[in-house]
């Protein structure tokens, strides 16, 4: 499961894309993103092992942007 960890978010959204650029997950629900996350499925179907791209957008209550290691995009590897 791929989740965002943290607190103090004013806004938050997470998208996951496959290697062809197709969006396979998107949520702007903080509860979904933080508590549930992406489980490696699209429309209930298990996705293939491989490389996926995550994109995170949002702001903290102090107005600063949400980043992970100063990046708003990154790569994740799905392993089954």
């Amino acid at each position: 499961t791929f989740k965002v960890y943290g607190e103090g978010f004013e806004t938050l959204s997470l998208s996951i894309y496959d290697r062809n650029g197709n969006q396979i997950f998107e949520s702007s629900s903080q509860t979904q993103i933080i508590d549930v996350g992406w489980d490696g499925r699209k429309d209930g179907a298990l996705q293939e092992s491989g490389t996926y791209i995550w994109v995170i957008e949002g702001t903290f209550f102090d107005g600063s942007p949400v980043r992970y290691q100063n990046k708003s995009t990154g790569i994740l590897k799905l392993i089954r």
Side-chain angles (χ1 to χ4, degrees):
T1 302
F2 184 78
K3 298 179 183 181
V4 172
Y5 293 89
E7 55 187 43
F9 302 110
E10 183 172 3
T11 63
L12 184 64
S13 69
L14 174 66
S15 298
I16 307 289
Y17 297 88
D18 67 15
R19 64 180 176 260
N20 297 318
N22 300 310
Q23 186 178 62
I24 57 171
F25 174 85
E26 189 280 323
S27 180
S28 294
S29 164
Q30 290 188 36
T31 301
Q32 171 76 25
I33 296 168
I34 295 168
D35 295 339
V36 180
W38 178 57
D39 64 358
R41 298 174 190 260
K42 179 182 179 190
D43 300 327
L46 293 173
Q47 297 300 289
E48 295 179 12
S49 295
T51 303
Y52 292 83
I53 297 168
W54 57 264
V55 178
I56 190 170
E57 296 177 322
T59 57
F60 290 100
F61 285 113
D62 68 2
S64 62
V66 174
R67 299 281 185 261
Y68 174 71
Q69 295 184 341
N70 210 25
K71 298 179 185 176
S72 61
T73 63
I75 295 173
L76 67 93
K77 295 193 181 207
L78 179 62
I79 301 170
R80 298 212 177 273

